[in-house]
Amino acid sequence: QVQLVESGGGSVQTGGSLRLSCVVSGYTSSNSDDRWMGWFRQAPGKQREMVARISRAYGTPIYTDSAKGRFTISLDNAKSTLFLQMNDLKPEDTAMYYCAAGVMWSNMKWDARYWGQGSQVTVSA
């Protein structure tokens, strides 16, 4: 059974930093649908969007425009932990953040096979 357990959310002021962690267990798939892990977010009244993804095999990170230059995704395979370092946070970054495994492009959007429970990030002006 695949489990993703997140930690590290919280409240900060504009310009602050937070680091999200996601411990993954039971995830051993090596098929082509499971090449990527990532972080998504969903703000109130908005659709869920992918923030960043990372290659399980090569550690190659890819960011959306909103995350470039401020967020860093990383994967510690030895500890089975996915991280998202968020710097220079802005009020528009306020959302529930979800880690994900088996990230894939499906039905014209990014989706995932497995999800963490969500971590609230709130950035005040």
Side-chain angles (χ1 to χ4, degrees):
Q1 182 180 1
V2 179
Q3 287 189 321
L4 288 75
V5 179
E6 301 179 37
S7 61
S11 298
V12 296
Q13 292 186 329
T14 297
S17 298
L18 284 172
R19 189 191 198 201
L20 302 180
S21 300
C22 176
V23 177
V24 184
S25 61
Y27 187 48
T28 59
S29 173
S30 60
N31 69 44
S32 61
D33 287 339
D34 292 304
R35 288 177 295 177
W36 299 93
M37 298 183 69
W39 290 93
F40 290 69
R41 69 185 182 186
Q42 186 168 20
K46 294 187 177 181
Q47 290 192 340
R48 184 175 59 202
E49 63 174 352
M50 189 179 66
V51 174
R53 69 184 193 272
I54 187 167
S55 165
R56 290 177 65 203
Y58 304 108
T60 306
I62 296 178
Y63 301 95
T64 56
D65 288 344
S66 61
K68 284 180 183 176
R70 299 188 301 124
F71 293 4
T72 302
I73 187 172
S74 59
L75 176 61
D76 185 335
N77 278 313
K79 296 181 180 180
S80 298
T81 304
L82 182 69
F83 299 98
L84 185 68
Q85 176 68 43
M86 302 183 290
N87 298 326
D88 190 24
L89 283 161
K90 305 174 181 180
E92 51 264 41
D93 294 317
T94 295
M96 186 71 77
Y97 284 72
Y98 298 91
C99 65
V103 174
M104 68 186 80
W105 181 253
S106 176
N107 295 323
M108 302 297 291
K109 64 181 175 68
W110 285 103
D111 206 340
R113 287 157 54 87
Y114 307 103
W115 297 93
Q117 82 276 17
S119 296
Q120 179 65 41
V121 171
T122 303
V123 185
S124 57

